[in-house]
Amino acid sequence: MKTETVAATLRRGSQTATKERAVELLRKGEVVALPTETVYGLAADALNPIAVAKIFEAKERPRFDPLIVHLPDEQWLERVATVDNHARAQIKKLIAQFWPGPLTLVLDRQSIVPEIVTAGLDTVAVRMSSHPVFAEIISAFGKPLAAPSANRFGRISSTTAQHVFDELGGRIPLIIDAGPTAHGIESTIIAVHDNKIDILRRGPITSEQLAEFGEINIVSAPKDVSAPGQLPSHYSPKTPLRLIDNAESFALGANYRVGLLAWNASIPEERFEAIRTLSQRQDLREAASNLFRCLRELDELDLNLIVAERVPAQGLGAAILDRLERASQDSDIRDTPE
Ligand code: TXA
Ligand code: MG
């Protein structure tokens, strides 16, 4: 299949060829890669199981991994999900504060949502993207879109249209290019019950921000849901990755090509084959938005090892660390230097 990348030149309410093309493909039950404020998503009609199956095929994603349903507007919320009366006030507050934006809520599913979307679970993950291009296309489409990150299963999420092409070129008809995504990491996923907020995946909305809305409970690895975004190994570069506290004290074996994903500014340059600094001014937002691009760049250099310096664990840093920890999980470090 030929994959076309088209630059988004959308203006609110404008009828452009790009938007029409995307909407037409979605109506036909095809998949389209779209920018969101977090990472690029691979979108399809959430209410059309055959269209959704194409997402799983293109990504080689196992069917047991449920998708996030993106809503055109808040009216759609209670058509796809049930909002529990006990949690209603709290959920409404969270939505008022964070939607549209990078917060995904796991709620009870309505039967209109096909089983393939939720992988047979009786819950559904929903969010509303704030990206103007995504918002315009989904509102023209007029129905919810299922959209996982636009990468092959288990790999690093795409934060540019080029990344999407590298991952899925030849497998999907259209990529809408709106430049690098703002947040650079995937949405925060929560479930709300008994006044408590379970954080199922850390993301741009931090636990500090959520703490105003209820008692926080960080759920590390759920046993009853086979949800790879929450499994320890995910977001993996091909190159083994190891987390370290500080590059200054990292000792190298001879003949190893090691790349550094740096947080700290003063770096012993000669010891590394390549260095990518997450943020020169140590700004966690900038670091999050650069994270996956830096990882991809290092991953393309045929290194023996990538070492990543730990970032501070507060605020957005916790979400960055979470991705780095997962990326380091299935790394085979047996033949890399100690
Ligand atoms: O920022 C994002 O959330 C991006 C953009 C494209 O919206 N999407 C994204 O989707 O990251 P994906 O499929 O890569 O990750 C969704 C995660 C998966 O780990 C999945 O297991 C989890 O959400 N998930 C989906 N439905 C769930 C449910 N009902 N209960 C628990 N986890 C769920
Ligand atoms: Mg993903």
Side-chain angles (χ1 to χ4, degrees):
M1 181 186 299
K2 188 176 171 298
T3 301
E4 204 183 332
T5 302
V6 180
T9 50
L10 306 185
R11 261 173 289 114
R12 210 153 256 296
S14 66
Q15 290 291 320
T16 67
T18 314
K19 179 177 81 177
E20 278 170 13
R21 181 83 208 292
V23 172
E24 187 192 319
L25 282 166
L26 291 168
R27 290 217 173 102
K28 275 198 214 149
E30 293 299 330
V31 296
V32 178
L34 299 176
T36 84
E37 72 279 37
T38 57
V39 298
Y40 276 75
L42 183 61
D45 182 347
L47 306 183
N48 175 347
I50 294 163
V52 173
K54 292 180 187 169
I55 295 177
F56 284 88
E57 266 165 47
K59 283 184 57 107
E60 295 174 51
R61 180 176 173 122
R63 292 289 176 97
F64 60 73
D65 193 9
L67 304 177
I68 295 175
V69 173
H70 298 65
L71 307 178
D73 55 53
E74 241 186 273
Q75 268 71 60
W76 270 97
L77 177 66
E78 294 191 56
R79 294 191 211 161
V80 298
T82 312
V83 180
D84 190 83
N85 265 336
H86 302 289
R88 178 174 291 275
Q90 202 179 9
I91 284 169
K92 290 286 170 189
K93 277 187 205 154
L94 286 161
I95 287 176
Q97 180 73 22
F98 297 113
W99 277 16
L103 182 71
T104 297
L105 295 162
V106 173
L107 299 166
D108 288 334
R109 169 179 86 104
Q110 296 267 19
S111 57
I112 187 180
V113 182
E115 295 233 322
I116 185 172
V117 172
T118 62
L121 295 175
D122 49 20
T123 55
V124 59
V126 290
R127 88 173 188 97
M128 224 179 114
S129 169
S130 64
H131 195 291
V133 172
F134 191 98
E136 186 162 355
I137 289 173
I138 197 172
S139 103
F141 180 61
K143 285 193 289 177
L145 291 172
S149 53
N151 51 278
R152 274 172 285 145
F153 177 70
R155 302 257 308 136
I156 303 165
S157 295
S158 300
T159 56
T160 67
Q162 183 62 48
H163 295 165
V164 180
F165 190 88
D166 295 344
E167 290 283 321
L168 302 172
R171 300 173 176 208
I172 61 175
L174 181 65
I175 301 169
I176 304 290
D177 182 357
T181 60
H183 294 291
I185 51 173
E186 306 84 352
S187 64
T188 306
I189 304 181
I190 62 167
V192 176
H193 52 82
D194 306 328
N195 216 37
K196 294 201 184 71
I197 298 175
D198 286 348
I199 299 186
L200 306 177
R201 178 174 73 183
R202 291 186 188 266
I205 306 296
T206 64
S207 55
E208 289 89 338
Q209 284 173 289
L210 291 167
E212 283 181 37
F213 298 85
E215 191 187 316
I216 301 296
N217 175 31
I218 310 282
V219 180
S220 40
K223 289 168 205 77
D224 51 344
V225 182
S226 297
Q230 293 147 36
L231 287 178
S233 77
H234 205 52
Y235 307 105
S236 302
K238 290 172 287 212
T239 316
L241 182 139
R242 191 189 300 174
L243 263 173
I244 57 171
D245 287 327
N246 195 314
E248 296 271 4
S249 54
F250 179 72
L252 294 180
N255 299 327
Y256 281 104
R257 291 162 46 83
V258 180
L260 173 66
L261 186 65
W263 170 250
N264 296 300
S266 67
I267 289 153
E269 275 193 35
E270 64 291 346
R271 291 160 54 188
F272 296 98
E273 188 79 24
I275 297 173
R276 292 291 181 280
T277 304
L278 286 173
S279 166
Q280 291 292 350
R281 48 196 170 100
Q282 300 206 316
D283 174 320
L284 285 167
R285 278 178 192 233
E286 184 179 51
S289 72
N290 286 331
L291 175 68
F292 290 142
R293 176 181 55 78
C294 290
L295 267 180
R296 262 173 204 279
E297 287 175 6
L298 290 170
D299 202 22
E300 275 158 21
L301 300 176
D302 277 322
L303 302 164
N304 299 104
L305 178 68
I306 298 169
V307 290
E309 286 184 319
R310 278 177 208 282
V311 304
Q314 291 79 44
L316 254 186
I320 298 173
L321 271 177
D322 165 80
R323 303 305 189 275
L324 288 174
E325 269 156 17
R326 291 171 206 262
S328 71
Q329 283 299 322
D330 59 358
S331 284
D332 183 355
I333 55 168
R334 275 170 308 176
D335 52 9
T336 56
E338 272 310 317

